[in-house]
Amino acid sequence: METLAIVEFVFDMLLSSSLLFVAYKTLTCKDLFQAIVFFIVFGLLISVAWGRLGAYDVAMAEVVIGAGLTGALLLSALVKLKKMNID
Amino acid sequence: MSTLFFYAVAGIGLFCTGLYTLIVQAHLLRKLLAINIMGSGVFLLLVSLSMRTAGTQPDPVPHAMVITGIVVAISATALALVFMIKIALKTGKAELSSLEEK
């Protein structure tokens, strides 16, 4: 049981720090397309965090809505901006 | 207890990062990403506080609130994206005009 506790501790530490890192990359990288891809990755990571916290229904909703649908909406808006030659 | 602590601190950090970016960056798409990340930080804090006692089932009421919040957040994001496209069509750039340019 001691080994399992250590593994859970390391997993929580890695997941929360990678959440912060991916959010930082989303908000600071130069290219907007890259930022949107980082945001989709962030949605997948936070749904893993919610599965870890015991909120499985929230995890399902986040995978469908937060990662999939929001990413598609943001990408379509970016394509519309690029068609107008606006950066 | 350590699980709650890690994810609560991560949620607070996400909120602070998003707020800083919302103030600093000019591009509206970047501001929208910042608002979404701020919301995710608040949701992470709520869900991590719903498992206050280790070893028992977490409280389901914050989960219901967070699911409602996710749905509201995507609808608000879609509306704001439409507003961003309209602003870009009208002014020629996807930024809000500052007061110094007038």
Side-chain angles (χ1 to χ4, degrees):
Chain A
M1 290 312 285
E2 186 61 34
T3 317
L4 190 62
I6 291 175
V7 166
E8 281 184 353
F9 182 82
V10 171
F11 181 77
D12 287 338
M13 203 169 60
L14 281 178
L15 187 55
S16 44
S17 55
S18 63
L19 271 173
L20 284 171
F21 174 72
V22 171
Y24 174 77
K25 289 294 285 183
T26 303
L27 299 174
T28 53
C29 69
K30 296 288 179 196
D31 192 19
L32 275 175
F33 177 75
Q34 200 177 350
I36 291 171
V37 171
F38 269 120
F39 183 75
I40 296 171
V41 172
F42 174 80
L44 295 175
L45 277 176
I46 207 167
S47 68
V48 173
W50 280 333
R52 178 70 185 86
L53 286 167
Y56 306 112
D57 44 358
V58 185
M60 289 295 147
E62 173 66 34
V63 165
V64 173
I65 293 173
L69 205 52
T70 314
L73 282 174
L74 288 166
L75 281 176
S76 73
L78 185 68
V79 165
K80 277 181 184 167
L81 283 184
K82 294 280 185 205
K83 274 184 184 171
M84 289 189 277
N85 292 319
I86 295 168
D87 274 334
Chain B
M1 190 63 205
S2 71
T3 305
L4 188 154
F5 174 75
F6 274 131
Y7 291 112
V9 170
I12 294 169
L14 288 180
F15 184 85
C16 295
T17 315
L19 185 61
Y20 176 76
T21 309
L22 178 67
I23 295 170
V24 167
Q25 299 267 0
H27 200 283
L28 285 175
L29 198 60
R30 197 65 67 110
K31 281 181 193 279
L32 264 181
L33 289 173
I35 290 173
N36 270 301
I37 284 180
M38 279 168 71
S40 293
V42 175
F43 297 155
L44 197 60
L45 187 62
L46 270 173
V47 174
S48 62
L49 288 181
S50 75
M51 45 182 313
R52 281 185 300 272
T53 53
T56 59
Q57 288 295 317
D59 189 7
V61 178
H63 296 181
M65 281 201 298
V66 165
I67 288 179
T68 313
I70 288 171
V71 176
V72 171
I74 190 181
S75 50
T77 304
L79 183 66
L81 281 172
V82 173
F83 284 162
M84 185 190 74
I85 298 291
K86 296 288 182 191
I87 287 172
L89 278 174
K90 197 146 181 73
T91 63
K93 59 179 196 285
E95 294 170 4
L96 291 177
S97 59
S98 61
L99 289 173
E100 291 103 17
E101 294 171 1
K102 289 177 182 174

